[in-house]
Amino acid sequence: MNADLHYLGLTLRTASPAVRERLRCDESTQWSVLVDLQDFASERMVLSTCERFEMYASGLHQDSANWVSRLGELFEADEASLQSQIRVMHGDDVMWHLFRVAGGLDSRLIGEPHILGQVRHSFLQALECGTVGPILSAMGRAAIFTGRRIRRETPIHAAARSSATLAVDWVRKKLGSLGGRTVLLVGTGRLATDVAGCLAVQRSGKILVVGRNLERAEEVANNVGGEGLTIHQLVDGIRRADAIITCTASPTFLVDRRTMGDGPGPLAIVDLGVPRNVDPAVSTIEGVTLCHLDDLADDAATSQEWIAAAEGIVSQEVRRTHDWLRARAVAPAISALIQASRNSTAAGSRESRQSLHFCIRHLKEAVAA
């Protein structure tokens, strides 16, 4: 076991949406967290997505309980809630977890296609920030390699469904059909683009795309024959819609009782935003059905054979990386032995070589034990 690997995280399996969204990081916030925690560990990496907030560390200076307290301060989150829902791991368990995450095996949708890119982005950001040293560098590179192997050698990703496809399927089931229906899409990022594409494939009647930047909203809309609107036209878009799908990074609710107005009629809403874009209170309005990201279910079962193949790759790469880290740990001692042997008056003798060989073998066996 490599004892100098540490993990602290909140995922959709351990934490509620309310707690996860408190720790949601944009690019600049993630950078700040890496810098601010320099007194906690010499090596640090943060992975923040809609499903997880995870910290990986090596060279720990302070107990993980102190990390929770500091995170509560940084994100103005309730420490007791964090403490009750956070998960802590050490040693090779950390490696297993990151490799499974990179391979899409820890996602809500097994084989989820975007997570490997998110792991890679987090690793590169930590490199650029200067918070990754030899231990996390080896683990991060190996995790990315593991994810790529799983994509290349198993069909698990080819069969994966995304949040976008699940959201559109949920709307279609609620409405009975998307034909002739108007769907309001709030957001213009990558996820919104994916949702728009899925809506086009399902041949929805009209796609309205709302964004803070009209030019970007029109670009997303034009690609699917839809109509772009500014955020100031959101209320009008809601009035025209049979369904709403939101997927923005807005820190506040965009759809609430005020924007909904009085009696909007039957309306299906999917909130893919983290933090949430839709006030849960709108579900009490007559005729409104609200589904959050965490409530979406994938009815298509992933082949257990494919999952087993992917888990086998994870096992191989964890073992390979563990061996590398173990060899690295003993390397300074071996170098010192070799140098001492060269400086010895008996250097080069048969007895000296045998003694050196015995000492090196003993060191390697001790580390492997």
Side-chain angles (χ1 to χ4, degrees):
M1 168 184 278
N2 189 310
D4 197 22
L5 287 173
H6 311 276
Y7 165 94
L8 182 148
L10 296 160
T11 73
L12 80 163
R13 303 186 193 284
T14 65
S16 66
V19 172
R20 293 203 318 271
E21 64 191 21
R22 290 298 302 170
L23 270 64
R24 187 76 165 96
C25 289
D26 58 20
E27 190 89 9
S28 61
T29 304
Q30 193 162 312
W31 184 283
S32 297
V33 171
L34 288 171
V35 173
D36 287 343
L37 292 176
Q38 59 185 330
D39 58 325
F40 277 73
S42 54
E43 297 188 42
R44 309 169 300 283
M45 185 177 88
V46 171
L47 174 62
S48 177
T49 74
C50 60
E51 292 188 355
R52 65 190 70 245
F53 175 89
E54 299 181 331
M55 297 188 60
Y56 298 86
S58 181
L60 200 65
H61 303 323
Q62 297 193 34
D63 185 80
S64 55
N66 293 332
W67 286 51
V68 177
S69 178
R70 176 66 71 85
L71 287 175
E73 294 174 3
L74 289 175
F75 291 96
E76 298 180 353
D78 179 63
E79 185 178 336
S81 296
L82 291 180
Q83 194 71 60
S84 65
Q85 300 186 48
I86 212 150
R87 182 184 182 192
V88 176
M89 291 185 285
H90 304 283
D92 285 351
D93 288 345
V94 179
M95 210 186 312
W96 274 97
H97 179 75
L98 179 59
F99 289 16
R100 294 186 77 255
V101 169
L105 294 169
D106 192 63
S107 297
R108 181 171 49 86
L109 305 174
I110 299 298
E112 192 271 316
H114 299 307
I115 187 62
L116 178 57
Q118 292 167 331
V119 170
R120 181 177 181 274
H121 177 77
S122 294
F123 174 64
L124 292 177
Q125 185 188 47
L127 276 177
E128 186 179 353
C129 190
T131 63
V132 166
I135 303 299
L136 288 193
S137 179
M139 188 175 75
R141 294 178 194 279
I144 295 167
F145 179 74
T146 300
R148 287 173 175 167
R149 270 198 67 190
I150 290 173
R151 287 192 174 193
R152 184 174 63 247
E153 299 176 25
T154 75
I156 194 170
H157 289 277
R161 307 227 297 155
S162 67
S163 299
T165 58
L166 292 187
V168 173
D169 282 353
W170 184 88
V171 169
R172 178 179 52 78
K173 290 174 183 176
K174 288 298 176 183
L175 299 181
S177 169
L178 289 177
R181 303 286 192 163
T182 297
V183 179
L184 176 66
L185 175 58
V186 184
T188 58
R190 183 176 65 181
L191 180 53
T193 302
D194 290 346
V195 171
C198 293
L199 287 170
V201 170
Q202 293 283 350
R203 301 182 182 278
S204 62
K206 181 74 173 180
I207 302 173
L208 306 176
V209 180
V210 169
R212 296 190 184 279
N213 183 300
L214 179 58
E215 184 177 344
R216 175 59 184 158
E218 289 177 337
E219 180 183 345
V220 175
N222 290 339
N223 288 335
V224 292
E227 177 185 347
L229 305 173
T230 70
I231 194 68
H232 303 296
Q233 296 173 287
L234 176 60
V235 173
D236 177 59
I238 291 173
R239 291 196 184 104
R240 297 166 59 186
D242 298 298
I244 304 172
I245 301 176
T246 66
C247 41
T248 82
S250 172
T252 58
F253 294 138
L254 296 176
V255 178
D256 54 21
R257 283 184 167 276
R258 180 183 60 82
T259 53
M260 292 283 287
D262 298 324
L267 189 62
I269 306 176
V270 183
D271 186 357
L272 300 179
V274 178
R276 285 168 288 186
N277 299 159
V278 182
D279 184 347
V282 304
S283 63
T284 62
I285 299 174
E286 186 177 356
V288 173
T289 308
L290 173 63
C291 176
H292 183 257
L293 172 66
D294 283 13
D295 301 322
L296 289 173
D298 188 5
D299 298 329
T302 304
S303 166
Q304 291 302 308
E305 183 180 350
W306 298 351
I307 293 175
E311 294 282 11
I313 292 173
V314 169
S315 179
Q316 292 170 15
E317 295 305 326
V318 166
R319 201 160 48 242
R320 191 197 310 269
T321 308
H322 175 87
D323 290 345
W324 185 90
L325 291 172
R326 186 176 61 194
R328 182 184 180 278
V330 79
I334 292 176
S335 297
L337 281 172
I338 293 173
Q339 188 60 45
S341 175
R342 287 173 178 169
N343 295 336
S344 169
T345 55
S349 68
R350 183 170 180 271
E351 291 79 8
S352 176
R353 291 196 302 272
Q354 286 180 336
S355 176
L356 178 63
H357 174 72
F358 173 79
C359 289
I360 291 175
R361 186 178 69 181
H362 179 72
L363 270 174
K364 289 182 176 179
E365 288 174 350
V367 172

